[in-house]
């Protein structure tokens, strides 16, 4: 009995040791190696370079409303626009290559939230790999810096964590699946509103004097092959009131049904 116990103890220690070595090996990956493995996993820079425009078409859902239409359009080198056709209004998030804006404008009390959206749109990191305006594809001379920050479990899966610092003080934290190297999440930082919050439409109830604090993120999943590259077909995006009305902070979820590459995009979509 003692011999059996000793054998199982040794076996357990060997397994734990191997696991620790594997974890330590993964931790030694540099940020550059993680980004390189990600780009290789999605198809390689050569495959990505074939595209000059991309349209992701699908549906989006918020609150208890039915699913509605959405599209995320992007065009090299640095334009991106998303349209969400909600039941009461169309919500547009756009970066035209120079400035970012959202329509309709949020109430004045929400200016910190609006500023955060504009920062995210201009960063080259909005919508993760759905968008062609992608900071991970920029030349080394762009001024972008990456730093590996270990590993973290996201929705039950281990991920590599990489901090990115962009010119003009923009920063974010990126997460890459440790097995597939898909880009599964971006944390954009926090925005806070401490003033009274007004109405967005007649159907949205204001939250009075409540303080609003939100950690903005964008998650992507369900990656599939499209025209020689891997792209996500599902996403989840953190949002706040008054975009949603049942909570102060929540999410909208999207399902992409089709990608179109290298098709003309009306310039008005970026205006």
């Amino acid at each position: 009995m003692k011999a059996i116990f000793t054998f199982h103890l040794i076996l357990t220690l060997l397994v734990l040791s191997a696991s620790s070595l594997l974890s330590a090996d993964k931790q030694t990956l540099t940020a550059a190696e993680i980004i390189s493995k990600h780009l290789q996993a999605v198809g390689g820079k050569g495959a990505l370079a074939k595209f000059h425009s991309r349209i992701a078409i699908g549906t989006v859902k918020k609150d208890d409303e039915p699913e509605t239409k959405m599209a995320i359009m992007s065009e090299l080198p640095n334009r991106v626009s998303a349209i969400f056709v909600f039941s009461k209004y169309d919500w547009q998030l756009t970066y035209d290559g120079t400035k970012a804006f959202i329509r309709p404008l949020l109430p004045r009390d929400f200016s910190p939230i609006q500023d955060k959206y504009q920062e995210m749109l201009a960063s080259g990191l909005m919508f993760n790999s759905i968008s062609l305006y992608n900071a991970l594809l920029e030349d080394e001379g762009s001024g972008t810096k990456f730093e590996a920050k270990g590993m973290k479990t996201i929705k039950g899966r281990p991920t590599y964590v990489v901090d990115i610092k962009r010119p003009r003080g923009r920063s974010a934290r990126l997460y890459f699946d440790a097995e597939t190297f898909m880009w599964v999440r971006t944390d954009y930082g926090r925005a806070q509103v401490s003033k009274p919050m007004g109405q967005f439409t007649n159907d949205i109830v204001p939250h009075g004097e409540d303080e609003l604090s939100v950690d903005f993120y964008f998650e992507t999943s369900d990656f599939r092959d499209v025209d020689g590259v891997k792209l996500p077909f599902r996403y989840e995006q953190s949002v706040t009131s008054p975009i949603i009305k049942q909570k102060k902070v929540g999410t909208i979820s999207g399902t992409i049904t089709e990608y179109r590459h290298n098709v003309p995009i009306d310039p008005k979509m970026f205006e």
Side-chain angles (χ1 to χ4, degrees):
M1 179 67 71
K2 183 177 180 181
I4 294 174
F5 173 78
T6 302
F7 172 77
H8 283 295
L9 178 61
I10 293 173
L11 183 61
T12 300
L13 290 173
L14 286 172
V15 170
L16 289 174
S17 176
S19 176
S20 298
L21 287 171
L22 179 61
S23 176
D25 180 61
K26 288 182 176 179
Q27 292 278 0
T28 61
L29 287 177
T30 66
E33 289 170 335
I34 295 168
I35 301 300
S36 176
K37 287 179 178 292
H38 161 68
L39 294 175
Q40 292 172 12
V42 298
K45 282 190 172 183
L48 293 167
K50 296 185 301 182
F51 310 129
H52 58 77
S53 71
R54 174 183 292 158
I55 302 176
I57 301 169
T59 59
V60 65
K61 193 175 190 318
K62 73 178 182 75
D63 295 324
D64 57 358
E65 299 176 8
E67 284 189 332
T68 188
K69 294 180 180 180
M70 57 74 63
I72 298 174
M73 298 155 283
S74 55
E75 190 174 72
L76 292 181
N78 57 359
R79 301 206 294 183
V80 62
S81 185
I83 307 290
F84 305 90
V85 187
F86 294 134
S87 59
K88 301 295 182 180
Y89 57 89
D90 294 349
W91 189 37
Q92 181 179 357
L93 305 172
T94 298
Y95 182 66
D96 67 2
T98 303
K99 63 182 183 299
F101 54 89
I102 65 175
R103 295 191 182 106
L105 292 175
L106 297 180
R108 183 176 299 177
D109 298 335
F110 284 84
S111 59
I113 302 295
Q114 181 148 313
D115 291 344
K116 190 64 181 178
Y117 276 121
Q118 292 173 336
E119 175 189 313
M120 291 156 55
L121 286 162
S123 69
L125 300 166
M126 190 65 176
F127 309 119
N128 295 7
S129 53
I130 297 174
S131 172
L132 278 178
Y133 176 32
N134 186 334
L136 305 188
L137 296 173
E138 293 183 352
D139 296 332
E140 293 183 2
S142 66
T144 299
K145 297 181 179 179
F146 300 95
E147 181 181 0
K149 303 298 285 189
M151 301 187 72
K152 183 177 180 179
T153 300
I154 299 292
K155 293 190 173 179
R157 292 185 63 85
T159 65
Y160 296 103
V161 184
V162 175
D163 279 358
I164 178 172
K165 293 184 178 179
R166 300 276 282 146
R168 301 180 183 178
R170 301 180 184 125
S171 62
R173 175 160 287 187
L174 315 182
Y175 301 83
F176 301 90
D177 186 281
E179 181 181 351
T180 66
F181 285 93
M182 295 296 105
W183 181 2
V184 295
R185 180 180 171 110
T186 301
D187 287 341
Y188 302 99
R190 176 173 295 184
Q192 187 168 308
V193 175
S194 57
K195 295 180 180 180
M197 291 177 275
Q199 291 179 310
F200 197 44
T201 72
N202 292 332
D203 296 322
I204 294 178
V205 179
H207 290 282
E209 300 291 337
D210 295 345
E211 183 177 90
L212 176 63
S213 182
V214 57
D215 293 310
F216 281 99
Y217 71 87
F218 193 91
E219 289 187 341
T220 38
S221 59
D222 189 14
F223 294 86
R224 308 178 200 172
D225 290 327
V226 180
D227 297 333
V229 297
K230 285 188 177 295
L231 295 172
F233 277 74
R234 292 187 181 275
Y235 69 85
E236 181 177 283
Q237 178 179 352
S238 58
V239 292
T240 71
S241 61
I243 304 305
I244 54 174
K245 59 184 179 181
Q246 294 179 338
K247 301 178 181 179
K248 290 191 296 182
V249 179
T251 62
I252 58 175
S253 57
T255 300
I256 294 170
T257 56
E258 179 185 5
Y259 281 96
R260 297 178 184 176
H261 282 122
N262 296 337
V263 296
I265 300 176
D266 188 338
K268 292 182 180 178
M269 294 294 100
F270 302 106
E271 296 178 354

